[in-house]
Each structure stands twice: as structure tokens, then as C-alpha cells.
Amino acid sequence: MLQFNITNKYKVEHMKIIKNLLILSLTSFFIGCGTSPVAQPKNIDKLKVYTPESNQVILEAINKVRAVQRDCKDGEGLVGPSNPLVWNEALYASAYEHSQDLAYTNTFSHVGSGTKYDKTGKTLNRESYFDERIAYNGYLDYSSVGENIAAGQDDIKEVLTAWLESPAHCANLMSPVFAEVGVAIVINKESKYGIYWTQNLGDRY
């Protein structure tokens, strides 16, 4: 899922890139697959409207989950309690871009649609990848990044429950390598699942 373009002239720069690749390759292991978790909203006509004030509620719910030691059933054993995350607007912007893309193209994948709703992909003239969207939206000089997506869940508690039940999503959610997060929700009642969630996580040097 990760793509890299390496153009280095000096050995020092090359070693720095190799270090980043190793870290990011580890991060890619935590990326949840694009086939789950999904659900059908209980009442699509009564989906709540999410506002910036919702961000604090979402952040508190995520950190409450990370504060508990758990086994994600990914073969890595117990993880956590993990450090609380801090909200980051650049990660939120990249998450919003992808949630909007999913909602208005009726797709469900970590790969962007390549349409006008995939703003990063439109710039690149192809489908976008999550790390490209994160960088495009201003989250630069990172040591690790990750993404979780969900669709159809009515609220953050349902989303977190679904992610915790999926080993790859749980590992991403609980990973101690991340320090910052942004979560964006986009509603399109004409789409298959009605509501789409993207969580982008990261840590910077």
C-alpha cells in the first residue's frame, strides 16, 4: 500500500531514507484492510451532523480505548496502555479528503478513487495512497503514518468497537508509535453506507 520515490545523491541522505522506509514498512503492517469494518446505519435519515466540537469527543473516546491493555489478536500479544494521542489538523484534513472521496464515489478502500473527489490523486493524475494524502495535506517530516477506515457506524463508539474487533485495525488504533490523530466523518445519504469514517494517525521527528 505504501509507495516511495527515492532520489538521493548522498550516502547520509540514503541511510536516512532507508531508516524511514523501515519505519514506514512497519507502519504499513498496521494498516487495516479496506473490506471491513462496515455496517448499515440504523436510521440513515437521523444521522447526526458532526461539527468541529465533535473532535474533542472523538479524541477522548480514542484515548480511552488506548488507555487499556488489550490483545488485538494479530499475533503480537498484549499491547498498551498506549500514550494518549493529540489532535492534528493536517491529519484531520487528509482524513476529511478521504472520507469525502469514499462517500461521494460510493467506494470503500484505502486507495483513492482517482476522481475529482480524490484531490491528492487528481494532482498526481492517478489514484492516491494514504501516505500521499497525508503529506499532500501538510503532515510532513513524519516517522510513521497509518490509516483506519469504517462505514455505516452511527457514532464513534460503534466505530471503535468495530476497529477493536478487527486485528489489523486494532493494532493500528493501539500502536504506541503514533502520537497524533485526525478523524473525519462525511455523510452522504445517497451512498451505500451513508456515513464514512477515516482515521489518520502519525508521528513526526
Side-chain angles (χ1 to χ4, degrees):
M1 211 169 275
L2 292 173
Q3 286 193 346
F4 306 97
N5 295 315
I6 306 175
T7 54
N8 296 61
K9 295 181 180 180
Y10 304 103
K11 185 176 180 180
V12 173
E13 289 295 325
H14 179 70
M15 293 308 295
K16 183 178 179 181
I17 289 293
I18 293 300
K19 178 182 178 183
N20 291 350
L21 286 174
L22 289 172
I23 294 171
L24 289 170
S25 293
L26 175 63
T27 303
S28 70
F29 174 78
F30 292 124
I31 299 307
C33 67
T35 57
S36 65
V38 295
Q40 291 295 339
K42 298 180 184 69
N43 190 335
I44 199 168
D45 293 324
K46 292 185 178 180
L47 286 174
K48 66 178 70 174
V49 176
Y50 287 85
T51 65
E53 290 73 27
S54 305
N55 296 347
Q56 185 59 35
V57 174
I58 291 170
L59 180 63
E60 289 175 359
I62 291 170
N63 284 333
K64 185 176 180 180
V65 164
R66 286 173 62 86
V68 177
Q69 186 180 58
R70 63 186 77 245
D71 185 349
C72 286
K73 310 298 183 184
D74 61 342
E76 297 298 317
L78 293 173
V79 61
S82 299
N83 53 295
L85 301 176
V86 175
W87 191 267
N88 181 275
E89 286 298 318
L91 290 174
Y92 170 78
S94 63
Y96 184 85
E97 176 187 328
H98 196 49
S99 286
Q100 186 175 48
D101 186 19
L102 299 178
Y104 284 92
T105 60
N106 237 351
T107 54
F108 191 69
S109 171
H110 290 286
V111 180
S113 67
T115 69
K116 66 179 181 179
Y117 296 106
D118 179 7
K119 295 179 181 179
T120 302
K122 187 176 180 181
T123 300
L124 298 171
N125 292 315
R126 58 170 171 77
E127 299 171 332
S128 68
Y129 293 86
F130 80 96
D131 58 314
E132 295 169 331
R133 292 189 296 269
I134 287 172
Y136 177 82
N137 282 278
Y139 196 79
L140 304 173
D141 298 324
Y142 57 76
S143 57
S144 57
V145 290
E147 180 174 90
N148 280 339
I149 58 176
Q153 293 83 1
D154 294 327
D155 58 44
I156 185 60
K157 290 183 180 179
E158 288 186 17
V159 172
L160 292 173
T161 297
W163 282 339
L164 288 174
E165 291 174 351
S166 167
H169 291 83
C170 176
N172 220 11
L173 178 63
M174 291 296 298
S175 176
V177 306
F178 297 127
E180 299 176 298
V181 68
V183 178
I185 305 98
V186 173
I187 295 171
N188 177 11
K189 295 180 181 180
E190 303 302 316
S191 63
K192 181 177 181 179
Y193 297 113
I195 180 169
Y196 294 79
W197 303 73
T198 301
Q199 177 191 51
N200 282 159
L201 305 112
D203 187 37
R204 294 174 290 182
Y205 291 109

